Amino acid sequence: MSHSNINVKDDEIDIVIGALCSDLTSFMNDWRPVFSRFHLIIVKDPDLKEELQIPEGFNVDVYTKTDIDRLVGSSSILFYGYSCRYFGFLVSRKKYIVSIDDDCTPAKDKDGSLVDIVAQHVTNLTTPATPFFFNTLYDPYRKGADFVRGYPFSLRNGVQCALSCGLWLNLADYDAPTQALKPELKNSRYVDAVLTVPARTLMPLSGINIAFDRELVGPALFPALRLAGEGKLRWETMEDIWSGMCAKVVCDHLGFGVKSGLPYVWRTERGNAVDSLRKEWEGVKLMEEVVPFFQTLRLKRTTVKAEDCVVEVAKEVKEHLGKVDPVFGRAAEAMVDWVRLWRAVGSSSS
């Protein structure tokens, strides 16, 4: 079944990068073939003291602690570390956002060609997702594929895809215990496939390489869960995992799809998993509480907008998880603050 790709213009896309290191010269030059056509939003980690070094030739807006303080004021939301990129999600006015970490470079596909992550993410977002019935030949809308025998024709139109989760070569997004136990473990498998994550199935969303339709689910991607010992390495955070579970519940409720697979990025090593283990262990334990909660969470049928879904999830979090650990109570508060901020920024710019 062929499905024509919606024609997306370059000016409908923002590329958002959270800068955790000051010298972005080699990062930007590596990505120049892919990024030079698009508008970029770079958000500087407020803890970063040095000036950012960004090479010429890019259409880029840089946001710093001053911008964050001016727009956000006093809030329970902290835009530090990896959470700084969410400020870019907040101020963007584009329909599609592609976001990658600053320790990634372009990957190469099986033919040795540079992977255009923007093109692949946009393809994922503009072709339908199939969350309600699994197609064993993966993405049926891809060239050379189709729906398999037995797939109901009533479901073959699919639904809108709101979130595209890309993957990583070299250093995969393992947790600190896994990487510490297997320090030599690298991902060299380039699997040329995209899957729709089935409805009512949770997955850990990694913020390293994602794209989303801001109009559909923008408010559901936020920095809320902050570990007590949160650090500056992916091993030491859970903000994206928590946000991803909320986003998946919201997508399921609103009837949108989530895809995982292509495109890949090449991820370079930063930090030490053994050192990070102590910081992330708190998050590893919290997951045992978090997953059953989200698996059983159902939202009211009358809730039909993403931001209202987030407020409803926050209320449930406060009620059911707040007594388990104070970190959840703070997360619920930050989620409500985020929606308030999202609405305020949206109304002031419209």
Side-chain angles (χ1 to χ4, degrees):
M1 183 175 187
S2 67
H3 208 288
S4 60
N5 197 351
I6 297 164
N7 195 21
V8 174
K9 298 183 179 70
D10 290 354
D11 64 3
E12 293 180 86
I13 300 163
D14 263 338
I15 297 177
V16 175
I17 297 149
L20 272 71
C21 64
S22 57
D23 189 354
L24 295 176
T25 309
S26 63
F27 169 82
M28 297 292 279
N29 284 329
D30 284 341
W31 284 105
R32 191 180 292 275
V34 181
F35 288 174
S36 56
R37 289 164 37 209
F38 302 100
H39 176 249
L40 279 74
I41 293 175
I42 295 180
V43 186
K44 182 183 175 185
D45 176 8
D47 283 338
L48 200 59
K49 300 292 180 270
E50 303 87 2
E51 285 295 308
L52 291 185
Q53 295 174 47
I54 300 167
E56 297 290 314
F58 291 95
N59 174 15
V60 59
D61 285 321
V62 177
Y63 293 90
T64 64
K65 185 177 187 300
T66 310
D67 302 304
I68 295 171
D69 291 344
R70 185 171 57 239
L71 190 65
V72 177
S74 63
S75 168
S76 61
I77 305 162
L78 299 172
F79 292 97
Y80 288 88
Y82 283 109
S83 293
C84 70
R85 74 201 171 104
Y86 294 90
F87 186 79
F89 300 174
L90 188 67
V91 297
S92 171
R93 299 273 70 86
K94 304 293 175 68
K95 179 172 172 59
Y96 299 107
I97 287 180
V98 177
S99 181
I100 66 157
D101 283 1
D102 65 355
D103 58 356
C104 297
T105 57
K108 290 187 174 170
D109 63 19
K110 290 180 174 180
D111 300 325
S113 304
L114 206 69
V115 172
D116 183 340
I117 66 162
V118 180
Q120 182 62 55
H121 273 308
V122 168
T123 296
N124 292 349
L125 291 170
T126 55
T127 52
T130 52
F132 303 116
F133 203 80
F134 189 81
N135 191 54
T136 50
L137 259 186
Y138 312 126
D139 184 355
Y141 301 101
R142 209 164 159 203
K143 189 179 176 184
D146 210 322
F147 291 98
V148 296
R149 182 171 56 89
Y151 202 102
F153 277 83
S154 59
L155 293 176
R156 293 190 183 195
N157 283 339
V159 300
Q160 276 184 286
C161 180
L163 180 58
S164 169
C165 308
L167 296 173
W168 343 266
L169 290 170
N170 193 37
L171 191 69
D173 195 12
Y174 297 120
D175 54 30
T178 304
Q179 196 70 65
L181 195 65
K182 302 175 178 177
E184 74 298 329
L185 188 60
K186 299 285 187 285
N187 183 35
S188 58
R189 291 181 67 222
Y190 184 96
V191 181
D192 190 9
V194 178
L195 299 175
T196 294
V197 183
R200 307 289 178 209
T201 299
L202 294 172
M203 85 291 179
L205 177 138
S206 164
I208 293 169
N209 168 23
I210 63 165
F212 57 94
D213 185 322
R214 193 178 178 279
E215 293 171 6
L216 297 181
V217 290
L221 291 146
F222 47 74
L225 188 80
R226 199 163 190 88
L227 301 178
E230 182 146 316
K232 302 287 185 182
L233 301 167
R234 277 288 177 205
W235 289 313
E236 301 167 358
T237 68
M238 294 291 285
E239 117 288 318
D240 52 345
I241 307 288
W242 174 266
S243 168
M245 295 220 188
C246 295
K248 183 61 167 68
V249 166
V250 170
C251 284
D252 286 347
H253 175 73
L254 297 177
F256 301 136
V258 176
K259 293 180 185 175
S260 174
L262 301 177
Y264 281 82
V265 294
W266 182 274
R267 190 163 172 248
T268 49
E269 202 146 355
R270 192 155 70 183
N272 182 296
V274 178
D275 294 341
S276 298
L277 191 53
R278 286 181 291 278
K279 292 183 180 176
E280 200 207 25
W281 188 243
E282 174 199 355
V284 172
K285 288 188 290 186
L286 287 177
M287 286 302 290
E288 304 305 323
E289 304 284 348
V290 167
V291 173
F293 166 77
F294 281 111
Q295 283 174 329
T296 55
L297 183 61
R298 296 292 181 269
L299 305 180
K300 297 190 187 99
R301 279 193 172 174
T302 49
T303 313
V304 294
K305 291 173 74 177
E307 55 258 51
D308 296 329
C309 290
V310 172
V311 173
E312 193 178 327
V313 173
K315 182 172 172 286
E316 294 293 320
V317 168
K318 187 176 180 182
E319 192 176 319
H320 296 287
L321 289 177
K323 46 179 150 323
V324 176
D325 193 297
V327 74
F328 295 125
R330 291 192 292 271
E333 185 186 346
M335 289 161 71
V336 174
D337 274 1
W338 170 261
V339 171
R340 199 178 294 129
L341 193 57
W342 186 274
R343 286 172 172 156
V345 171
S347 63
S348 67
S349 63
S350 55

